[in-house]
Amino acid sequence: MKHNFCAGPAVLPQEVIEKSAQAVHDFAGTGISILSISHRAKEFKPIVDEAAALVKEILDVPDDYSVIFLAGGASMEFCRVPYNFLNKKAAYLTTGLWASKALKEAKGFGEVVEVASSADANYTYIPKDYVIPADADYFHFTANNTIYGTEIHIDPDSPVPLISDMSSDIFSRPVDVSKYNCIYGGAQKNLAPAGMAVIIIKNDALGKVDRYIPTMLNYQTHIDNGSMYNTPPTFTILSALESLRWLKAQGGVREMSKRAVTRAAKLYTEIDHNKLFVGTAEVEDRSYMNICWVMAPEYQELEEEFLQFAQSRGMVEIKGHRTVGGFRASCYNAQPMESVDALIACMREFEAKH
Ligand SMILES: *Cc1c(COP(=O)(O)O)cnc(C)c1O
């Protein structure tokens, strides 16, 4: 059996894979594949509508917000966000590679204040003492730092509306959406196959910038057309819907949060007790989604051997990002507890050998 810890595209619930596969063969009893049916077919619109409604229900999104599904992924939103929301000035917190990419894009649209950065310690912590300018249009942060394994576990306090890249922890905990003008995330970590972003937008936060926004980059276009201005990623939306149904049936974000905390606590406990390993992130900022660790200094030469050993025990994709080294176990919503237990057993077995 394989235990997949890929950072993304990531593990999906088996039920979601089976239902998506079924729709590839015969979508909603039409006798036509979801891959080949018109997005204007009467059977497809309910899919988008239910998916958007479930996002709202699961995250308790207030009525005056819209939910849209757009092709492009989270990286596309790095530019679409400032295009739509940055009029004069925006504040950005730099906690990792994705955060710095988002900041770089914003610079093309106005004044960008970097309120703090943890680049000085290779992004192993979340800066705490920073001041957000009260005249900023918004404060942008990356909720979970997928590469370095740090996470902002609660909605930050801010004098201005929040905007967050929640690509790797969306739907893993309750969020106070009313503090946000926009929440976005690539689908391929906690929701669906790759190729799409889910975006939650406060309706009246739009229309405040002076610039012309090209049609496809304008969120209003997609809100007005229910994510169907052009051909949307139909199969990915269908899988997202199956995932959202699964999530709701499992007990929603409160249950997801419980499971995430349990998975992460088990792994961090092992990392902290196993003589061969050390965690890389500051303890209080440790991510529940991406657990990162390296070999302890005196066992450095065993890194490759552990990777091989873990692989032989069925572990997949536990190599850390090239900028961090070591290991990373990504444990999103669908990650089975048995995979976490199997990885821990493997770490113990390897320790016993040395
Ligand atoms: C994966 C990831 C991205 C990039 O997502 P794409 O869909 O590949 O553009 C952006 N931000 C975060 C936090 C991520 O984890």
Side-chain angles (χ1 to χ4, degrees):
M1 181 182 175
K2 296 286 186 202
H3 298 287
N4 185 4
F5 292 92
C6 187
V11 169
L12 289 171
Q14 197 51 35
E15 183 182 320
V16 171
I17 291 175
E18 276 155 25
K19 289 188 168 159
S20 303
Q22 168 60 30
V24 168
H25 292 292
D26 177 5
F27 168 58
T30 55
I32 293 170
S33 169
I34 181 68
L35 304 179
S36 311
I37 200 162
S38 166
H39 56 297
R40 308 286 175 204
K42 70 174 190 318
E43 292 85 358
F44 187 73
K45 190 172 182 313
I47 302 293
V48 189
D49 291 346
E50 187 186 339
L54 273 177
V55 170
K56 284 193 158 188
E57 184 183 337
I58 287 168
L59 276 183
D60 205 6
V61 177
D63 287 341
D64 56 332
Y65 283 67
S66 297
V67 174
I68 50 177
F69 302 98
L70 300 181
S75 303
M76 185 71 218
E77 306 320 308
F78 294 164
C79 96
R80 206 148 28 189
V81 159
Y83 230 132
N84 284 266
F85 294 108
L86 202 174
N87 199 27
K88 295 259 152 35
K89 184 198 264 192
Y92 276 69
L93 176 65
T94 309
T95 54
L97 186 70
W98 299 117
S100 52
K101 285 186 171 177
L103 181 147
K104 172 175 174 273
E105 290 305 301
K107 282 185 172 165
F109 298 92
E111 184 188 347
V112 175
V113 179
E114 183 183 56
V115 298
S117 166
S118 49
D120 56 353
N122 202 28
Y123 303 117
T124 48
Y125 70 101
I126 302 286
K128 307 284 176 340
D129 298 316
Y130 51 82
V131 178
I132 300 165
D135 60 346
D137 297 317
Y138 60 84
F139 170 55
H140 180 282
F141 66 99
T142 310
N144 180 66
N145 180 359
T146 322
I147 294 175
Y148 302 87
T150 60
E151 186 173 9
I152 297 172
H153 298 288
I154 46 170
D155 309 304
D157 283 323
S158 164
V160 299
L162 303 173
I163 292 187
S164 185
D165 172 3
M166 294 196 184
S167 291
S168 50
D169 65 350
I170 195 162
F171 305 121
S172 73
R173 64 185 154 92
V175 171
D176 180 358
V177 178
S178 70
K179 291 174 110 179
Y180 294 79
N181 273 355
C182 176
I183 292 171
Y184 64 93
Q188 72 275 24
K189 280 138 192 170
N190 257 322
L191 189 65
M196 182 178 90
V198 53
I199 305 150
I200 302 168
I201 296 168
K202 184 172 191 178
N203 294 329
D204 71 8
L206 290 174
K208 304 248 164 75
V209 297
D210 301 327
R211 70 181 66 87
Y212 166 75
I213 307 175
T215 309
M216 277 295 286
L217 299 182
N218 194 330
Y219 286 132
Q220 197 65 55
T221 304
H222 302 288
I223 291 173
D224 292 346
N225 291 280
S227 303
M228 300 237 265
Y229 171 74
N230 66 325
T231 317
T234 45
F235 174 73
T236 307
I237 293 175
L238 175 125
S239 283
L241 171 59
E242 293 298 352
S243 224
L244 291 160
R245 285 177 175 164
W246 173 87
L247 215 152
K248 184 182 163 186
Q250 296 290 308
V253 286
R254 276 175 212 290
E255 175 62 23
M256 291 303 126
S257 162
K258 262 193 234 156
R259 291 183 194 176
V261 171
T262 308
R263 279 189 301 255
K266 281 185 174 190
L267 277 166
Y268 287 125
T269 302
E270 179 59 26
I271 290 164
D272 292 341
H273 287 93
N274 191 310
K275 69 171 193 244
L276 302 180
F277 304 117
V278 282
T280 50
E282 203 57 52
V283 172
E284 64 174 352
D285 300 323
R286 281 173 164 178
S287 168
Y288 299 146
M289 300 281 108
N290 308 94
I291 290 89
C292 298
W293 74 102
V294 293
M295 299 306 302
E298 60 273 38
Y299 294 104
Q300 210 58 56
E301 77 286 356
L302 293 178
E303 178 164 326
E304 192 48 41
E305 193 186 326
F306 177 65
L307 270 178
Q308 299 291 335
F309 180 79
Q311 222 167 12
S312 75
R313 294 290 185 280
M315 306 302 138
V316 176
E317 293 277 359
I318 62 157
K319 196 174 165 63
H321 190 270
R322 62 184 186 282
T323 57
V324 187
F327 316 100
R328 170 174 59 173
S330 298
C331 300
Y332 305 119
N333 287 338
Q335 192 68 31
M337 200 64 77
E338 57 180 349
S339 290
V340 170
D341 293 337
L343 175 56
I344 291 169
C346 174
M347 292 161 82
R348 287 189 186 153
E349 203 186 325
F350 194 69
E351 184 189 32
K353 274 178 54 156
H354 295 278

